[in-house]
Amino acid sequence: MNRRDFNQLISMGAAGIMMPALPAFSRTVTPEALLEPGLDVSMKKRLADAALNAAKSKGATYADVRIGRYLNQFILTRENKVQAIINSESYGVGVRVIANGCWGFASVGDARDESVVAKAAETAVTIAKANSRLLTEPVQLAPQKGFGEVSWKAPIKRNAFEVPVKEKVDLLLSANSAAMQNGANFVNNVLFQINEQKYFASTDGTYADQDIHRIGPSFTVTAVDPGNGRFATRNSLSSPMGMGYDYLQVNPKDKSTGITTRYNKGYDMLEDITSAAKQAKEKLSAKSVEGGKYDLVLDPSHLWLTIHESVGHPLELDRVLGYEANYAGTSFVTLDKLQSKNFAYGSKEVNIVADKTQVDSLGAVGWDDEGVKTKKWDLVRDGILVNYQAIRDQVHIIGEKESQGCCYADNWSSVQFQRMANVSLEAGKTPLSVQNMIKDVKKGIYIIGDGSFSIDQQRYNFQFGGQLFYEIKDGQIAGMLKDVAYQANTKEFWNSCVAVCDQSDYRLGGAFNDGKGQPGQSSAVSHGSATARFNGVNVINTARKI
């Protein structure tokens, strides 16, 4: 199945639900084929060595090889019908080299012969040498030690592909039925399951075999007012996770506010979709917000997206340097702000880290796509900007000597480049529950779930909506609101942060489909936080004409 056919299928079958991109050069397979073993490690090493040796023999000073097998299963339902079950596999080899100081890349699909991958490596060298005619400055690659033969596997408890399709379909249809019984007029429900089997080898001496698993349940319920034809929706509050089918287990409701929001280690789809149907109906009669200044209490199911857009992307070094401008621009966080060592990105309550090792996160791996062992590092500490996200050919620009391990390609046929790590707001150190945070708010809005958003080409001025909005009056939840969005710029917003709940409230959000690059690539990334409070933020009514 090609991408155009897949996208057409999705647009017909699951309107309103964002699908992750199908890997390039995918072929449809049976569910049983998803469990078949790929090439064994010894064969992968022989293929990799053939490519590395061929590249060196043609004059490459550096080479790396990625052998990738990408497995996907998407199950799409609507009301009481299964709309599609898509099983796909993509396998191939990508070779990247430096020759004459310049990068070159070539790839080949379904390669199982050493001579074929060697030919791809030779082609990559030829391309690098051709590119070097236009070179103004040679690639400066940070040194990287070799790790030998190593492996990493996501710590899943149950492989989603081992679960019978019928069991998964029954879950989705049961959830849809629960939504319809509780007031929904329409419901779409999708389950994504992804397995990346990746092998990396380089002339530095690393041979890394990795097995990465991700899962993402997602639904949209719609309630219609029969009197006037108006409708309201509520999307799932689940997050895609770097977990197996064990994610779809019952998780107790958070009793502190009486509102179901706490999904992380386990997701109760039936409870969430039942609540969603009732809340979509409640939205129809909710009070429309009065614009003005409010203190915002932002749940992690909402805040992850604000972190992603206003922190994750602007702190990618290639955007800072102007090397990357696709998918909403470059960055206001220019090098002089880091060099000043006193740029207040946020208040002293704001501590933001990048972490490619975070357990159960979408971005967790052992080694990145250029053989760097992954780690955790500070981006903002006590409100002050302290670092960016950078890879091997970038770090010399900011005076560092080693990569931060955040290089990624979405497929064997794609060139790896700098991608966002898991970027998260650390929980507060002082004990603080959501209930106690709300008790201290006189005039505010409690926002749950992600919604529409807009951000400018410098990642500075923005607007965010959400799924659920609750008015806070004198420390109490006073009822549901609708038509809510808040506006700010990145600096004033993060400097308005006055409190973050403690670790007991910390949860992950995230997305399968973070787009970047040209040609575009898609990556999966998580963002964690506890509930946080932001004072004096401008709120607008999205339904009223200006």
Side-chain angles (χ1 to χ4, degrees):
M1 178 181 292
N2 62 41
R3 290 190 181 212
R4 178 175 295 179
D5 291 342
F6 178 76
N7 289 334
Q8 184 179 15
L9 172 65
I10 297 313
S11 66
M12 294 187 296
I17 295 180
M18 186 66 73
M19 293 287 293
L22 193 69
F25 306 104
S26 292
R27 65 185 184 96
T28 55
V29 297
T30 65
E32 293 75 21
L34 298 175
L35 291 171
E36 293 176 359
L39 299 179
D40 62 35
V41 174
S42 62
M43 182 61 193
K44 292 176 185 176
K45 187 174 186 299
R46 286 199 297 273
L47 291 175
D49 281 339
L52 298 177
N53 291 334
K56 288 188 291 185
S57 71
K58 293 296 182 180
T61 55
Y62 169 83
D64 59 43
V65 183
R66 288 177 298 107
I67 303 172
R69 183 178 181 229
Y70 298 79
L71 306 174
N72 299 266
Q73 185 181 82
F74 306 148
I75 303 175
L76 300 88
T77 68
R78 180 167 182 172
E79 286 88 56
N80 63 350
K81 295 180 175 62
V82 177
Q83 293 200 292
I85 299 173
I86 304 166
N87 306 290
S88 72
E89 177 187 34
S90 178
Y91 164 76
V93 180
V95 185
R96 187 180 66 156
V97 305
I98 297 176
N100 291 357
C102 194
W103 286 117
F105 177 80
S107 64
V108 58
D110 202 29
R112 302 170 194 274
D113 184 270
E114 294 170 48
S115 64
V116 173
V117 296
K119 181 64 176 177
E122 293 171 359
T123 301
V125 175
T126 299
I127 291 171
K129 290 179 177 179
N131 289 340
S132 70
R133 298 169 190 166
L134 302 175
L135 191 66
T136 57
E137 183 179 341
V139 174
Q140 296 184 49
L141 202 62
Q144 177 60 52
K145 73 171 185 177
F147 291 97
E149 295 187 37
V150 292
S151 64
W152 184 91
K153 180 178 175 62
I156 63 171
K157 297 177 181 176
R158 191 179 185 191
N159 186 340
F161 294 148
E162 294 177 353
V163 178
V165 172
K166 184 180 185 303
E167 181 178 334
K168 292 178 276 196
V169 167
D170 287 347
L171 172 63
L172 299 187
L173 293 181
S174 295
N176 292 355
S177 177
M180 301 296 285
Q181 291 170 18
N182 284 276
N185 296 94
F186 305 100
V187 56
N188 294 310
N189 204 338
V190 183
L191 180 61
F192 314 136
Q193 302 135 94
I194 295 173
N195 177 211
E196 294 184 1
Q197 298 172 7
K198 301 171 70 172
Y199 188 85
F200 172 90
S202 75
T203 50
D204 292 325
T206 293
Y207 296 84
D209 190 40
Q210 303 194 84
D211 188 25
I212 302 154
H213 291 259
R214 304 184 182 109
I215 190 167
S218 178
F219 64 73
T220 296
V221 299
T222 303
V224 180
D225 186 331
N228 56 30
R230 293 180 179 175
F231 65 92
T233 64
R234 208 274 256 168
N235 295 338
S236 54
L237 298 181
S238 61
S239 171
M241 299 288 286
M243 300 176 68
Y245 200 74
D246 42 290
Y247 179 46
L248 296 175
Q249 64 187 38
V250 173
N251 193 61
K253 185 164 75 171
D254 176 17
K255 303 297 184 182
S256 64
T257 63
I259 302 166
T260 301
T261 64
R262 295 184 58 80
Y263 297 118
N264 199 5
K265 289 293 185 181
Y267 173 57
D268 187 340
M269 182 186 292
L270 291 175
E271 180 184 55
D272 190 24
I273 206 166
T274 299
S275 297
K278 296 175 181 177
Q279 289 161 349
K281 287 184 66 177
E282 189 179 357
K283 278 186 176 185
L284 292 169
S285 57
K287 183 173 71 172
S288 192
V289 70
E290 291 292 333
K293 298 286 187 180
Y294 290 83
D295 295 347
L296 301 183
V297 176
L298 303 182
D299 187 79
S301 63
H302 169 86
L303 190 54
W304 78 265
L305 184 58
T306 309
I307 295 169
H308 178 90
E309 299 294 346
S310 68
V311 182
H313 277 309
L315 296 188
E316 294 172 311
L317 185 56
D318 54 359
R319 292 191 189 277
V320 171
L321 298 170
Y323 298 167
E324 173 64 46
N326 207 24
Y327 294 99
T330 54
S331 174
F332 78 97
V333 195
T334 47
L335 288 176
D336 59 296
K337 294 178 174 61
L338 177 67
Q339 292 162 353
S340 73
K341 299 184 179 180
N342 62 2
F343 179 71
Y345 206 98
S347 69
K348 290 185 178 180
E349 305 295 330
V350 175
N351 294 289
I352 297 175
V353 297
D355 188 357
K356 289 285 288 179
T357 68
Q358 191 168 11
V359 176
D360 296 332
S361 69
L362 293 170
V365 290
W367 285 263
D368 79 346
D369 279 357
E370 50 185 8
V372 178
K373 190 168 179 58
T374 54
K375 63 180 180 178
K376 175 180 178 180
W377 71 99
D378 286 345
L379 297 174
V380 176
R381 179 56 54 186
D382 298 327
I384 302 300
L385 175 70
V386 296
N387 215 330
Y388 300 112
Q389 302 162 80
I391 59 174
R392 290 184 68 181
D393 62 359
Q394 298 173 335
V395 288
H396 68 278
I397 298 171
I398 54 175
E400 297 201 10
K401 296 182 179 180
E402 63 178 26
S403 168
Q404 291 156 342
C406 53
C407 193
Y408 177 79
D410 67 355
N411 189 255
W412 54 267
S413 64
S414 302
V415 181
Q416 61 267 54
F417 69 129
Q418 189 268 306
R419 296 308 308 265
M420 192 189 305
N422 302 309
V423 174
S424 301
L425 174 67
E426 287 187 345
K429 304 301 183 191
T430 303
L432 179 63
S433 67
V434 177
Q435 187 176 28
N436 286 333
M437 177 179 281
I438 289 173
K439 281 181 179 179
D440 194 40
V441 176
K442 298 298 182 184
K443 178 190 176 185
I445 302 175
Y446 181 31
I447 303 180
I448 298 169
D450 58 84
S452 63
F453 72 96
S454 177
I455 194 162
D456 70 16
Q457 294 293 310
Q458 292 288 296
R459 298 279 166 178
Y460 192 61
N461 298 291
F462 61 68
Q463 176 177 309
F464 285 90
Q467 291 298 312
L468 298 171
F469 312 97
Y470 294 92
E471 184 178 15
I472 304 172
K473 279 188 176 180
D474 298 322
Q476 298 290 329
I477 298 290
M480 185 180 282
L481 296 171
K482 64 181 178 181
D483 307 324
V484 177
Y486 61 89
Q487 297 177 324
N489 68 55
T490 295
K491 192 172 187 297
E492 71 183 19
F493 175 79
W494 287 104
N495 275 276
S496 74
C497 182
V498 296
V500 184
C501 288
D502 62 43
Q503 187 66 32
S504 66
D505 186 58
Y506 184 92
R507 284 162 276 154
L508 290 174
F512 275 134
N513 51 357
D514 174 34
K516 186 179 178 183
Q518 195 171 16
Q521 292 191 37
S522 182
S523 72
V525 62
S526 293
H527 304 285
S529 76
T531 303
R533 176 178 170 180
F534 299 80
N535 280 358
V537 180
N538 187 50
V539 170
I540 63 169
N541 185 301
T542 59
R544 294 180 183 171
K545 295 181 180 179
I546 299 175

